[in-house]
Amino acid sequence: MGRKATDAVRPPAGTEMDARGRDGLGMSKETARCTVCGETLGEDGRCPRCKGTSHVWTIHDWRPLLTLGLVIVLGFSFTRLVVTGFNAKGKVLGAEYYTAGLAAMDGKRTAEAVDDFETALVYSRDNFQYRLKLTDALLASGATDEALSQLHAYWAQRPADAQVNLKLARLEAQRHHVDDALHYYQNAVEGVWPERTDPVAQRLSVRFEAAELLVRLGLQAQAEQTLLALAAVLPAEAPEQGRLGDLFLRNGDAARALSAYQAELNLKKDSDAAILGAARASFAAGSYLTARRYLVELRTETAESHALLEQLERMEALDPFARSATGEVRTRRTMAAFHIAVERLAGCGVPFAQALSRGEKIGHERDPAPWSEFASWAEQLAPMMSEGKLRGQDDVIESTMRFAFQAEVAAQKECAKPGLDDEALLLLAHERMGTN
Amino acid sequence: MSPRLGPSRERLVQLMATPVHRKYFETLRRMLGPEGLVSIREEQFFLVVAIAIGILAGFVVVLFRIAIAEARLWLLGSSMHPSAPRVVLVPAVMGLLIAVLAVRFFPRVRGSGVNQTKGALYIYDGYISAETVVGKFVLSALAIGSGQSLGPEDPALQIGAGLASSLGRWLNLSKERLRMISPVGAAAGLAAAFNAPITAVLFVIEEVIGRWSAGILGAVVLSAISSVVVERWFLGDEPLFRVPPYHLEHAGELVAYAALGVVGGVASVVFVKGIKNLRPRLRRLPQWSQYLQPGVAGLLIGIIAIWYPQVMGAGYEWMNLAMHNRFPWELLGILAGLKLVSTTLSFATGTPGGLFAPVLFMGAMLGASVGMLEQQLLPAITVPVGAYALVGMGALFAGILRAPMTSVFMVLEVSGNYSIILPVMICNTISYVISRGFQQVPLYDLLSRQDGLDLPSLEEERGQTILLVEDAMRPSRVRTLRGDETIESARAVVAGSGEDAFLVSLGEGRWSVLGREALADAANGEGSPVRSLVRARVPRLYQDQSLEVALRFIKDRPMLPVVHRDNLDLLMGVVSVQDILGAYRRAGLAEPETAASS
């Protein structure tokens, strides 16, 4: 250093009084008096007589005070000028790095994009858009933990920010933290959206996303609640009614799905998607006639509509209780149903059914529960399966159809996938008996 | 011949000549005079000055922070990963320039500035020259902006103190006020640099003033608040670090923090011992090497920075990233170690700049590293890494700077997160205890002694034994006289005693002391009450008061009563100057200076 640290540098000597009796700072001599004894204070500010130290500042000392005030005003102005210039520079730099980051994202150079967005934030610390983009880049580069940490930190500052909540909801959904995801979705619905966006549309979109998540995960009760809430806020004329219907249908609420599709049809009568949706919903609700009516209205047939229609026709072909069925048709359909049911049971390895399908005598001993009851039943019905014996025997027809329905239901629980005719019988069973 | 007055002045003089108007003007004159309504005593004016200091310091520190940022942009560019040639050459070349300027023109700007401010307070009557302020501003901005591993807070402290000193001299404050003004400015400077007023106040009290002094506390607080208001006006009120919210889920997490405290304590000891050993060795080298040392430090730091640019400068942006899981734990540990080395190099070579930011950096990296490692070993621990980083900062702050209260509040203020206080307190305490166990003398005291100064230390004061009145008091050897008893009765007591002074209880907690001669020579009749002889009361003492307080009260009195706080007439004992001296002797402490002993 060259100089010892102990070299004492004394303060400068006291100021001198000028000819007017004022010191160099313009303080009045008359105020430089001790408040205890009135003696003039010495250069060190102390009273030589009673050692009182108080200088009293009065309005006469306006010069130094005014100067100090001016210095503060000037200091404020200068600092403001400098800060404004620096902030403007920072904004420009931040924008440059942000643009570079966007370009890197487009070029799939995610690590570079992360660096650029981080640098942009160094120069524009409070820029929310940059921060959101940074989290996108982090997610794209696989740094989920870091993205989550950034978002949590930001959320702690702005818990009502809808975009932050939405990002958090999506992240938590990815990590299978459903409760947290739903919490953030709810916050996003209730939160504050940027002014340039359409908050109503955004909120609807978020509700749909949350419902989609629940339906996908099979959380039926929660999904139903969410869908009901969504239905309550969705205007009847909204184009999203069809989407709502899809979600209701996937969640197993066919009746509400149908209402939603019908609402969509009120807006777009010729919408094949809505018609098909209504048909599916009607079909799922067991309103087959309604479903058929919708399917017939379709302008363009699809594989699904074709399959549904075929299913309905098959049902009709097997339904002995259809209004249009004559006595002969009833008989034939009943016999067909009986044979289909027996074949189904035979396919499931039920001994009596196998014997029956081979035309052999039914033996009860080999049939385990619950098939033994079916075996007794079939033994009674089998001799009646001819046109001559069955015609006019409504009670036998009724009993036969009940046998067919119950056999199909039991087989569905015990055996492999049913065939098309078996499915038709099951649907008929659902319609007639309300079975699942 | 008097000068001719204008018509309005003549009229005024005529008005003043009339009795009514003369009285009116006299009253006005008195109102505006020293004892009038529009007057303020210096001690009150000092508080106003403190606010002005805070405002001005706020401006200067804002400009200082911008100067550092501009220097960085100019010297190293805008990227967080500057090119290798720039990273190596800039700190080296600027180090040389800074050394030349510091050695030749600004010798008092070397170092952090904390000890220099303390020296101004205790040795130089509060004097810090304006050139020191300018030099510290410019050279620290260049040093930190060029990548030396130092921080802006300590220089801001010295800049604020220097500003206050200059302002105090300009306003011609009394010597007593001038001496105390530098801590006021120091608090303002530090508060603005850190955006943390409570931390600044506590640090100035713990480290700069070195003792709790109620007289200055008000001014220090006012200046700190004023400067932070100014700083936030210009730079916003965002906390320094954005940390994810933290909640203590399970008490077992505190064990994890305790482990961090141990690591932090060890790291603190390593750092302090590094500076303790390297700094004097470098100072003993030939004089011409003082011009080269900062440049060499800059070169070495630049070489490290080719691979680890995080070690350059204060490093706040990297700390923020570390709190958000940016780096793997191994890299965090490496960064903590490299920053320790870099800061030791920068500081020991005398480059102007502070230790706050590097200490926080080391703490953040070390804390995050330990936290991530603990999470890998014990997956049940789900504390965010940011929480560990914050606590790590506090641990190293407590262990290195040895300001325990400041370290706790610092973490709270820089993060705005109160829920972390319990882990911070545990970790800081452990780090502090370990650091104190292996390195008795705190860092700043170490530095001042290396500079040949012996400055007071709050830590040393904490270690001192405080003697109380109860350590010195003794039972009274004679019956206490009552104020309402007769002089005749009192004389009987006096006659039977060998004492020269007697306590008199006047009732309602009032006491006095009468000498033997006063009782013997009393002209009052023997039937008069003793009270009639009492000329003045004496102050009471209590057992829990310190002997220093007792000495202030006892003055030249023969003794003072020690009474019960609950019953002021109940005498617990008496104490005299000899009793006090005897207590000090028994405790093996140096006796205080008194009128009796000097």
Side-chain angles (χ1 to χ4, degrees):
Chain A
M1 251 192 202
R3 292 173 65 177
K4 287 183 188 170
T6 49
D7 285 343
V9 178
R10 294 294 161 207
T15 53
E16 301 293 333
M17 295 288 180
D18 67 12
R20 289 177 300 163
R22 293 174 187 274
D23 62 21
L25 299 170
M27 285 194 297
S28 159
K29 187 177 178 181
E30 74 176 12
T31 62
R33 288 190 178 280
C34 174
T35 54
V36 178
C37 63
E39 190 74 17
T40 304
L41 297 178
E43 285 180 2
D44 61 354
R46 297 180 79 92
C47 174
R49 183 150 46 131
C50 68
K51 307 300 178 194
T53 60
S54 292
H55 170 83
V56 177
W57 291 73
T58 71
I59 202 163
H60 298 282
D61 298 309
W62 59 272
R63 283 193 187 81
L65 298 177
L66 180 64
T67 310
L68 184 59
L70 278 173
V71 167
I72 289 175
V73 169
L74 284 172
F76 178 84
S77 307
F78 179 71
T79 308
R80 190 172 175 186
L81 195 67
V82 170
V83 169
T84 306
F86 181 74
N87 285 345
K89 192 186 214 174
K91 269 196 181 134
V92 167
L93 281 171
E96 279 176 18
Y97 278 99
Y98 178 69
T99 308
L102 289 176
M105 282 281 276
D106 290 339
K108 306 276 187 255
R109 300 186 305 276
T110 51
E112 194 181 313
V114 168
D115 284 342
D116 287 333
F117 289 133
E118 281 171 351
T119 309
L121 279 166
V122 167
Y123 297 109
S124 289
R125 200 160 178 246
D126 300 323
N127 195 306
F128 175 62
Q129 192 184 3
Y130 294 1
R131 192 163 294 278
L132 276 190
K133 267 298 173 198
L134 172 63
T135 56
D136 288 341
L138 287 167
L139 287 169
S141 68
T144 311
D145 285 344
E146 193 182 342
L148 204 54
S149 180
Q150 291 274 4
L151 284 170
H152 276 140
Y154 206 71
W155 183 87
Q157 286 184 288
R158 290 163 67 152
D161 192 298
Q163 289 179 282
V164 173
N165 278 289
L166 182 58
K167 281 201 183 299
L168 278 167
R170 287 171 179 167
L171 262 176
E172 297 293 3
Q174 263 180 31
R175 287 150 48 102
H176 305 294
H177 297 163
V178 178
D179 289 338
D180 290 339
L182 290 175
H183 168 70
Y184 289 120
Y185 273 127
Q186 188 59 33
N187 287 349
V189 167
E190 294 167 0
V192 176
W193 288 90
E195 281 175 5
R196 64 181 185 277
T197 62
D198 178 0
V200 174
Q202 293 285 0
R203 290 189 177 108
L204 271 177
S205 171
V206 170
R207 286 180 187 272
F208 268 109
E209 206 175 299
E212 187 86 40
L213 172 70
L214 290 167
V215 168
R216 192 172 69 241
L217 293 175
L219 298 168
Q220 202 171 17
Q222 276 179 289
E224 187 69 12
Q225 273 181 12
T226 307
L227 287 169
L228 286 172
L230 181 50
V233 300
L234 189 67
E237 63 278 7
E240 291 88 356
Q241 287 287 350
R243 194 176 165 193
L244 179 64
D246 290 342
L247 287 170
F248 266 124
L249 193 58
R250 283 167 57 193
N251 201 43
D253 189 346
R256 290 195 171 93
L258 182 60
S259 301
Y261 288 125
Q262 283 169 346
E264 194 185 2
L265 281 169
N266 287 340
L267 294 171
K268 291 182 277 186
K269 284 188 170 39
D270 300 329
S271 167
D272 272 0
I275 294 170
L276 184 57
R280 274 194 269 121
S282 304
F283 198 95
S287 307
Y288 301 117
L289 284 176
T290 313
R292 190 186 173 81
R293 188 161 45 81
Y294 280 120
L295 286 169
V296 162
E297 282 177 22
L298 276 172
R299 286 178 300 167
T300 312
E301 204 179 73
T302 63
E304 188 187 357
S305 68
H306 180 77
L308 278 174
L309 209 51
E310 214 178 82
Q311 190 81 346
L312 286 168
E313 282 167 0
R314 215 179 283 279
M315 279 173 66
E316 202 175 314
L318 285 172
D319 186 5
F321 304 112
R323 281 207 200 110
S324 58
T326 60
E328 191 180 333
V329 166
R330 279 184 91 195
T331 309
R332 266 193 273 118
R333 287 179 181 176
T334 306
M335 286 163 57
F338 181 80
H339 285 299
I340 290 169
V342 165
E343 288 300 324
R344 173 75 165 131
L345 292 178
C348 290
V350 178
F352 86 86
Q354 285 173 340
L356 204 54
S357 67
R358 286 196 298 265
E360 292 168 9
K361 198 167 178 270
I362 295 172
H364 297 254
E365 306 80 25
R366 292 180 292 162
D367 293 303
W371 307 120
S372 54
E373 286 181 25
F374 281 100
S376 309
W377 200 351
E379 197 177 23
Q380 289 174 12
L381 291 173
M384 299 297 287
M385 293 298 115
S386 65
E387 275 200 47
K389 287 182 183 173
L390 209 51
R391 191 175 300 155
Q393 299 290 327
D394 286 346
D395 51 340
V396 177
I397 290 171
E398 184 78 32
S399 179
T400 306
M401 289 312 295
R402 263 192 294 115
F403 168 83
F405 291 156
Q406 287 184 20
E408 287 289 346
V409 170
Q412 193 189 28
K413 289 176 188 165
E414 303 284 335
C415 300
K417 202 170 175 316
L420 291 171
D421 287 335
D422 300 301
E423 278 182 5
L425 276 178
L426 282 167
L427 291 169
L428 275 172
H430 174 68
E431 189 184 31
R432 299 292 296 184
M433 293 163 49
T435 57
N436 294 322
Chain B
M1 189 174 167
S2 63
R4 184 173 169 71
L5 300 173
S8 56
R9 286 238 176 155
E10 278 183 11
R11 179 70 187 140
L12 188 65
V13 169
Q14 282 167 8
L15 271 174
M16 286 177 69
T18 61
V20 170
H21 291 107
R22 196 184 305 131
K23 193 175 172 187
Y24 172 76
F25 282 116
E26 239 346 277
T27 307
L28 190 64
R29 207 161 176 273
R30 270 205 302 278
M31 276 174 64
L32 297 178
E35 291 171 21
L37 292 174
V38 188
S39 66
I40 182 170
R41 297 168 68 94
E42 191 183 64
E43 48 267 31
Q44 294 159 332
F45 183 66
F46 191 67
L47 297 177
V48 176
V49 171
I51 296 173
I53 288 169
I55 293 171
L56 291 172
F59 293 150
V60 172
V61 170
V62 166
L63 293 172
F64 180 55
R65 286 172 62 173
I66 290 175
I68 293 172
E70 288 283 4
R72 204 240 180 241
L73 277 174
W74 174 54
L75 294 168
L76 292 171
S78 59
S79 171
M80 286 170 71
H81 303 269
S83 63
R86 218 167 179 174
V87 144
V88 171
L89 289 174
V90 163
V93 170
M94 291 311 296
L96 286 172
L97 174 67
I98 288 165
V100 167
L101 290 172
V103 172
R104 296 297 298 269
F105 301 105
F106 305 106
R108 272 174 196 73
V109 305
R110 302 183 79 182
S112 72
V114 174
N115 276 353
Q116 289 77 4
T117 304
K118 202 169 174 179
L121 170 63
Y122 286 105
I123 299 172
Y124 307 124
D125 293 331
Y127 180 77
I128 298 176
S129 66
E131 66 174 20
T132 301
V133 175
V134 172
K136 194 75 177 186
F137 187 107
V138 173
L139 297 189
S140 299
L142 285 175
I144 300 166
S146 65
Q148 294 275 354
S149 182
L150 294 165
E153 290 80 14
D154 313 41
L157 184 150
Q158 191 180 12
I159 289 168
L163 194 70
S165 176
S166 300
L167 183 64
R169 294 196 302 280
W170 182 64
L171 290 172
N172 207 24
L173 296 180
S174 64
K175 196 172 178 182
E176 187 189 344
R177 302 282 167 221
L178 274 179
R179 189 180 301 123
M180 297 310 291
I181 209 168
S182 48
V184 174
L190 184 60
F194 229 359
N195 194 8
I198 301 174
T199 303
V201 168
L202 287 173
F203 183 80
V204 164
I205 288 171
E206 280 193 299
E207 283 300 329
V208 178
I209 301 176
R211 55 173 63 106
W212 286 96
S213 170
I216 194 103
L217 190 59
V220 166
V221 169
L222 279 174
S223 71
I225 292 170
S226 311
S227 72
V228 166
V229 166
V230 168
E231 184 266 338
R232 287 182 183 179
W233 175 280
F234 288 107
L235 300 180
D237 58 358
E238 292 283 338
L240 206 53
F241 303 109
R242 287 202 181 99
V243 184
Y246 163 76
H247 305 281
L248 186 67
E249 303 275 348
H250 193 272
E253 289 170 19
L254 297 176
V255 177
Y257 286 113
L260 175 55
V262 172
V263 174
V266 171
S268 304
V269 171
V270 169
F271 179 71
V272 173
K273 287 207 184 287
I275 290 187
K276 178 185 175 183
N277 291 313
L278 184 62
R279 190 169 179 259
R281 278 172 211 232
L282 291 176
R283 287 154 72 96
R284 283 197 290 269
L285 292 177
Q287 177 58 26
W288 57 265
S289 71
Q290 307 295 321
Y291 291 93
L292 296 179
Q293 288 176 16
V296 171
L299 180 67
L300 293 172
I301 291 169
I303 291 171
I304 296 171
I306 292 173
W307 295 279
Y308 301 101
Q310 296 89 345
V311 302
M312 300 185 93
Y316 283 118
E317 57 275 12
W318 299 109
M319 284 188 247
N320 254 317
L321 293 178
M323 289 184 178
H324 295 293
N325 295 53
R326 184 73 163 91
F327 308 115
W329 71 267
E330 301 92 340
L331 178 59
L332 290 167
I334 291 169
L335 287 175
L338 289 175
K339 189 70 172 180
L340 191 150
V341 168
S342 309
T343 307
T344 305
L345 284 171
S346 286
F347 192 78
T349 53
T351 312
L355 291 174
F356 271 52
V359 167
L360 295 182
F361 183 101
M362 288 188 280
M365 297 300 161
L366 202 60
S369 176
V370 169
M372 289 177 85
L373 184 60
E374 284 178 353
Q375 282 176 357
Q376 285 196 10
L377 297 174
L378 299 163
I381 296 175
T382 56
V383 177
V385 168
Y388 278 105
L390 269 183
V391 174
M393 283 187 207
L396 256 74
F397 200 96
I400 291 174
L401 301 182
R402 299 269 272 273
M405 276 190 299
T406 308
S407 65
V408 171
F409 281 91
M410 182 271 302
V411 173
L412 300 182
E413 282 196 298
V414 299
S415 66
N417 192 338
Y418 184 76
S419 56
I420 207 153
I421 190 168
L422 195 54
V424 165
M425 287 168 74
I426 290 171
C427 195
N428 287 13
T429 304
I430 293 172
S431 176
Y432 178 85
V433 166
I434 290 174
S435 174
R436 200 168 176 191
F438 289 95
Q439 174 56 46
Q440 285 282 349
V441 181
L443 175 67
Y444 285 123
D445 294 344
L446 196 73
L447 296 172
S448 64
R449 285 174 201 179
Q450 286 179 355
D451 292 340
L453 305 175
D454 188 4
L455 298 171
S457 163
L458 194 63
E459 176 154 322
E460 286 180 354
E461 207 174 279
R462 273 195 287 264
Q464 288 173 355
T465 311
I466 299 173
L467 291 177
L468 304 176
V469 167
E470 67 178 359
D471 297 318
M473 76 178 193
R474 57 172 168 81
S476 178
R477 295 188 194 108
V478 68
R479 178 175 75 77
T480 305
L481 301 177
R482 294 190 318 277
D484 57 0
E485 73 176 290
T486 60
I487 293 177
E488 181 188 4
S489 164
R491 280 177 178 160
V493 171
V494 168
S497 158
E499 297 294 309
D500 291 327
F502 301 88
L503 267 180
V504 179
S505 172
L506 301 170
E508 294 177 357
R510 293 171 300 169
W511 294 81
S512 185
V513 173
L514 280 177
R516 178 182 285 274
E517 291 84 15
L519 277 164
D521 299 340
N524 303 17
E526 289 201 332
S528 302
V530 170
R531 174 182 293 115
S532 63
L533 299 177
V534 169
R535 293 287 169 263
R537 296 209 297 261
V538 297
R540 307 179 287 263
L541 292 177
Y542 305 104
Q543 289 173 282
D544 54 276
Q545 287 177 308
S546 70
L547 288 185
E548 283 186 21
V549 169
L551 274 173
R552 276 208 295 272
F553 284 127
I554 204 165
K555 294 181 183 169
D556 53 0
R557 298 182 176 100
M559 72 172 101
L560 286 180
V562 181
V563 301
H564 198 283
R565 281 192 183 270
D566 212 14
N567 181 358
L568 301 179
D569 291 318
L570 177 61
L571 184 71
M572 307 303 293
V574 295
V575 73
S576 65
V577 170
Q578 283 71 28
D579 296 326
I580 293 172
L581 294 179
Y584 276 109
R585 265 187 238 114
R586 286 192 298 278
L589 300 172
E591 293 174 7
E593 283 193 11
T594 62
S597 63
S598 60

